[in-house]
Amino acid sequence: MATRSNSRAGGSRGRAGASAPKSAIPQLAWNQIRPAPVVLVSGTEGFLADRSTRMLRDLLKADDPSLEISDISAADYAPGELLTLASPSLFGEPRLIRVDAVEKTGDGFLADMLDYLTSPADGTVVVLRHAGGVRGKKLLDAIRAGTGGGVEVVCAELKKDTEKYEFAQAEFAAAGRKITPGALRSLTSAFTDDLAELAAACQQLLSDSAEQITEATVDKYYGGRVETNAFQVADAAIAGRHGEALVTMRHALASGADPVPMVAAFASKLRTMAKLSGARGGSGQLAQQFGLAPWQVDRARRDLSGWTEDGLGRCIEVLAETDANVKGGGRDPVFALERMIRIVSTRGRA
C-alpha cells in the first residue's frame, strides 16, 4: 500500500520525539500520521488520537475507496480474530484494522499480535491505540524495536497554554483563515480545560463569514465564557463537587450567561452517560454503536464513576423539569438551576 505523509500544521510540533521512549521506528506527531503495516497510536490525549486515526482512514480511502475497515477491542478479544480479519479477501481490497484499548489487552490479543508482527499481511494497516500504562509493554517494545515495520504516532496531552494556543492557531491556518492574536488568546483561555471543546469552538468560528476573526467575533460566540462556564459547572456537579459547581454557576450568571445553555451542557453530558451506562466494549465499537466520538465514550465512562442507574435516571428527570423551568415554566430559573446542581452533585441521592 502506498505511503503518504500529511504535513498539515498542528499544535504539537516537536512533541513526538520528546514524549515517547527511545525507538528504532519513526515517531510522528498526531497530524503527521501515515500508512504503515503497523501504526502505534500512543499517549493520553484521546481527542488527538481519535483525530489522527480518522486522518489515516481518510488517507487510505482516498488511495482506494474499496478500503475495508474493521474494529477490535484488545480488552474483549477473541483468539484468532486479528488473523481472520487480516486474511486476504477474494478481491484483494486494502484493509484497515483499528484496535482499541491495547492498554487493557489480555494474553490472547498479545500473543496473536506478537505473532502478526513477524509477518504483517500485505495491503493491511493495523492501528493500535494504547492510552498509557505498563500493560502490553512487551508488544510496545517489539513494535518500537522495528518488528513489523511500524511507525508510532505520539498523542501526548497538551498541558501548557502555549501548546493549546499553537493547536488553535494551526486549526485556523489549516483552513486558510486569519485570526488576530488577541482573538486567539481569548479563545484558548476560554476553552483551556478541554481540547475537544477548543477544537469545536475553532470549527464554529471558522463557519463565520467574516474575512478575519477578531476578539469581537470570539465575544459574539463566547462572550462571558458562557459555553465554557456551562460545561465547567456540569463537570464539577457530575464529579460531586457541589460547592465548586455552585460558585462557577453564579460567576457565569454574573458574567452574562443564560441559564438555558447551562442546562443544555448538563443535558449533553448526562444523556451521553445514560447511553454508556452498562454498555460493554471498546471505545471505538461503542462510539460507532451510539454515534459518538471515542473520546466522548472515554469521558462518559470516567464521569460514570460513583453513579448508579437509579441516580442517573432521577437526575435526567430533574434535568427535564429544570429545562422547562428556565424556559419560562417556573418563577425562578436560578433556583431551578441550584436545585438541579444539588441533586446532580449527590448523584441523584439528594
Side-chain angles (χ1 to χ4, degrees):
M1 184 172 295
T3 297
R4 295 171 56 181
S5 62
N6 190 312
S7 58
R8 284 187 293 174
S12 50
R13 294 192 303 271
R15 292 180 60 76
S19 301
K22 292 182 179 179
S23 176
I25 62 174
Q27 291 188 307
L28 311 173
W30 69 270
N31 55 350
Q32 297 172 329
I33 194 168
R34 59 178 172 80
V38 177
V39 179
L40 171 61
V41 181
S42 65
T44 57
E45 183 49 75
F47 172 76
L48 293 182
D50 294 342
R51 181 183 276 196
S52 187
T53 302
R54 288 196 301 272
M55 288 170 59
L56 178 60
R57 176 202 63 194
D58 293 344
L59 284 171
L60 294 173
K61 284 189 75 70
D63 279 342
D64 193 331
S66 68
L67 177 73
E68 289 189 4
I69 303 174
S70 303
D71 291 296
I72 298 174
S73 171
D76 301 306
Y77 178 77
E81 190 176 2
L82 172 65
L83 304 182
T84 299
L85 291 173
S87 297
S89 66
L90 181 63
F91 301 103
E93 297 94 345
R95 299 187 174 197
L96 171 63
I97 302 174
R98 300 179 295 200
V99 185
D100 189 32
V102 178
E103 72 279 2
K104 301 175 184 176
T105 183
D107 292 339
F109 176 75
L110 191 61
D112 279 1
M113 190 64 210
L114 286 168
D115 181 57
Y116 181 85
L117 288 179
T118 63
S119 184
D122 291 336
T124 297
V125 174
V126 177
V127 179
L128 303 175
R129 171 68 182 123
H130 192 286
V134 297
R135 189 174 246 181
K137 184 176 183 300
K138 183 177 181 181
L139 174 59
L140 302 189
D141 288 345
I143 295 170
R144 288 169 176 156
T147 308
V151 299
E152 181 171 7
V153 178
V154 182
C155 298
E157 183 180 356
L158 305 186
K159 296 182 178 180
K160 298 178 181 178
D161 290 343
T162 53
E163 293 168 348
K164 293 168 186 175
Y165 182 95
E166 289 174 358
F167 171 84
Q169 186 177 47
E171 294 286 278
F172 292 98
R177 295 290 302 280
K178 295 179 180 178
I179 181 169
T180 65
L184 203 52
R185 284 192 297 271
S186 296
L187 183 65
T188 51
S189 80
F191 291 91
T192 189
D193 294 329
D194 192 313
L195 190 63
E197 290 178 9
L198 173 59
C202 291
Q203 293 307 310
Q204 183 171 19
L205 287 171
L206 285 170
S207 69
D208 191 280
S209 59
E211 181 178 346
Q212 185 179 58
I213 297 166
T214 65
E215 290 178 74
T217 317
V218 174
D219 186 65
K220 169 185 170 184
Y221 287 95
Y222 306 112
R225 299 174 60 183
V226 173
E227 299 296 333
T228 300
N229 280 325
F231 279 98
Q232 286 176 346
V233 175
D235 287 339
I238 288 168
R241 301 192 300 270
H242 176 250
E244 178 184 333
L246 207 56
V247 168
T248 307
M249 182 271 289
R250 289 169 179 164
H251 173 73
L253 294 177
S255 300
D258 187 274
V260 174
M262 196 167 297
V263 175
F266 275 82
S268 173
K269 296 184 76 68
L270 287 172
R271 287 169 185 163
T272 302
M273 289 166 63
K275 287 181 182 180
L276 273 298
S277 180
R280 294 178 59 83
S283 298
Q285 293 172 317
L286 293 175
Q288 189 172 26
Q289 179 181 345
F290 293 110
L292 302 167
W295 68 265
Q296 289 176 302
V297 174
D298 293 336
R299 181 65 181 264
R301 281 174 156 173
R302 290 196 300 271
D303 288 340
L304 280 165
S305 177
W307 283 77
T308 64
E309 288 190 10
D310 288 344
L312 189 56
R314 185 182 179 219
C315 286
I316 290 175
E317 290 176 357
V318 171
L319 173 69
E321 295 171 8
T322 308
D323 185 61
N325 286 332
V326 300
K327 290 178 178 176
R331 294 181 178 179
D332 191 342
V334 175
F335 174 79
L337 275 177
E338 291 178 344
R339 174 176 176 265
M340 180 184 68
I341 289 170
R342 175 173 55 82
I343 293 172
V344 171
S345 297
T346 60
R347 274 88 167 180
R349 292 188 289 269

